[in-house]
Amino acid sequence: MAKNSVAQPEVATRKDWGASEKLVRNAPTIADSVSAAVIHHTDGNNDYAAEDVPAILRGIQSFHITGRGWSDIGYNMLVDKYGRLWEGRAGGVKKAVVGAHAAGYNTGSFGISVLGDYDKKAPPQRTLDAVAEAIGWKLSLSGVKADGSTSLAGEEMKAIVGHRDVGQTSCPGDEFYAKFDSIRQAADDYQTGNKAGAGEEYENKDESDRQPGLVPGVIDSNARDART
């Protein structure tokens, strides 16, 4: 497909969620291009309110840097259950920033993670749509077809994979992973100008309120990469 042929979806900036640039240890590493998208879930609590999200992102960033020893938050982009996209690791959303989301597969991949635990229940439809649009757009920058195959770290694979496909983990959860074929189709539709949803109409709507027991900063414990 032609590069740069897809409109960028709206993405909230690091400033919007209050990323601590003082905590960031090193300048971002930029790869030549993005060959594949790797989808994660953060494995945290699903019962958060919209206004909780910036604090959750700050907690993840702090844990990745001070707890994991990484340079910055590991994911390139994050998505909440309200379908909002958030810039992750610094360096620019249009660039092929090397994250720390999938050990051995970080260079040339786009790591996108949905806030919450999706082993027993898939993310809401609006979130699935946002994931598909973000990936469709990001892969288009490198001319990669969302529903096709690609090469990453010397391996042939689908252009959109889950963390479990490249690591020893159950991430991004069984119910989320079951939606991947529809996500691939929706991302391809986005690339070709057909903005269809990633499946049935809002099957998992949840406008849940704040839960007092929310613990910010719970992350995908399998996203280890000491190099980044």
Side-chain angles (χ1 to χ4, degrees), residues 21-154:
E21 307 304 345
K22 292 182 179 179
L23 284 178
V24 177
R25 296 181 173 180
N26 300 304
T29 300
I30 310 297
D32 293 333
S33 62
V34 168
S35 301
V38 181
I39 300 176
H40 304 255
H41 68 172
T42 61
D43 201 21
N45 199 316
N46 295 355
D47 295 325
Y48 55 85
E51 61 268 24
D52 294 323
V53 172
I56 295 172
L57 298 179
R58 291 193 297 271
I60 293 173
Q61 183 197 30
S62 177
F63 187 84
H64 281 188
I65 296 173
T66 63
R68 298 284 185 199
W70 297 343
S71 296
D72 193 0
I73 191 170
Y75 307 117
N76 299 108
M77 193 174 290
L78 299 99
V79 193
D80 62 32
K81 67 180 182 181
Y82 303 98
R84 300 177 300 180
L85 298 169
W86 301 83
E87 179 183 10
R89 178 164 287 216
V93 294
K94 292 184 178 181
K95 296 181 180 179
V97 178
V98 178
H101 57 94
Y105 298 87
N106 289 313
T107 300
S109 71
F110 171 64
I112 183 167
S113 190
V114 176
L115 300 182
D117 181 349
Y118 298 103
D119 186 50
K120 303 298 184 183
K121 182 179 181 181
Q125 187 61 47
R126 56 185 171 269
T127 300
L128 297 175
D129 290 344
V131 169
E133 291 185 6
I135 291 175
W137 164 73
K138 188 66 177 183
L139 292 180
S140 78
L141 299 179
S142 299
V144 177
K145 282 184 61 62
D147 66 344
S149 298
T150 190
S151 178
L152 180 65

Side-chain angles (χ1 to χ4, degrees), residues 125 128-137 146-147 160 179-199:
Q125 187 61 47
L128 297 175
D129 290 344
V131 169
E133 291 185 6
I135 291 175
W137 164 73
D147 66 344
I160 299 175
K179 297 292 184 181
F180 273 31
D181 284 343
S182 60
I183 289 173
R184 292 183 182 104
Q185 183 61 59
D188 182 71
D189 287 341
Y190 191 70
Q191 288 183 336
T192 56
N194 177 13
K195 291 183 64 175

